[in-house]
């Protein structure tokens, strides 16, 4: 008569076969997530957080806040009476040359939005 063998411990049990489809799906999913995050950071994140430069049109009003070397520009209602409220007199596209505003406005602000560069020619709005 044979005696039954002792049950196998977890270390002794044979490994379950690896699921090839699951591993491949994880790799592809990881790559897709990485691409989505990269695109969101490059294109969309500044717009979502409100940090993207404002490409205002002539006649619109904007507020200019923050330090001179990194001003934050937001569109605003011209009758809002906010501090640092300016009216856009002219927009000069495809340049950072603030001298193009010498004949229009008391202040010029060079901005870049993705590959677009432009200068906003601004006049202070009286309170």
């Amino acid at each position: 008569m044979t005696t039954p063998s002792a049950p196998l411990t977890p270390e002794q049990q044979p490994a379950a076969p690896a699921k090839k489809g699951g591993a491949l799906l994880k790799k592809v999913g990881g790559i897709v997530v990485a691409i989505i995050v990269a695109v969101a950071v490059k294109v969309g994140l500044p717009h979502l957080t409100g940090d993207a430069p404002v490409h205002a049109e002539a006649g619109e009003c904007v507020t200019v806040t923050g330090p001179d070397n990194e001003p934050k520009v937001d569109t605003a209602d011209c009758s809002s009476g906010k501090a640092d409220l300016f009216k856009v007199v002219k927009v000069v596209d495809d340049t950072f040359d603030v001298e193009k505003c010498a004949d229009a406005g008391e202040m010029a602000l060079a901005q870049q939005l993705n590959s677009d560069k432009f200068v906003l020619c601004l006049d202070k709005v009286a309170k």
Side-chain angles (χ1 to χ4, degrees):
M1 178 156 103
T2 61
T3 58
S5 61
L8 296 175
T9 63
E11 295 84 28
Q12 295 173 331
Q13 290 183 358
K19 294 182 179 179
K20 291 182 181 178
L24 180 63
L25 186 61
K26 280 186 178 180
K27 285 181 183 179
V28 170
I31 292 170
V32 168
V33 168
I35 290 171
I36 290 171
V37 168
V39 168
V41 168
K42 176 71 176 160
V43 176
L45 194 58
H47 295 283
L48 294 175
T49 60
D51 292 335
V54 172
H55 195 307
E57 300 295 325
E60 291 183 321
C61 288
V62 296
T63 56
V64 181
T65 57
D68 288 343
N69 62 340
E70 196 174 326
K72 182 165 172 39
V73 179
D74 291 308
T75 56
D77 181 10
C78 292
S79 62
S80 67
K82 291 182 178 181
D84 300 318
L85 185 65
F86 294 87
K87 187 168 189 171
V88 178
V89 178
K90 180 170 108 176
V91 178
V92 184
D93 289 316
D94 300 321
T95 187
F96 288 134
D97 185 5
V98 294
E99 295 300 318
K100 301 251 182 189
C101 290
D103 62 337
E106 65 181 55
M107 183 173 128
L109 185 62
Q111 297 275 281
Q112 182 166 2
L113 181 60
N114 297 327
S115 62
D116 295 336
K117 53 187 178 179
F118 54 94
V119 175
L120 299 176
C121 305
L122 308 170
D123 265 340
K124 183 83 172 159
V125 174
K127 290 184 180 181

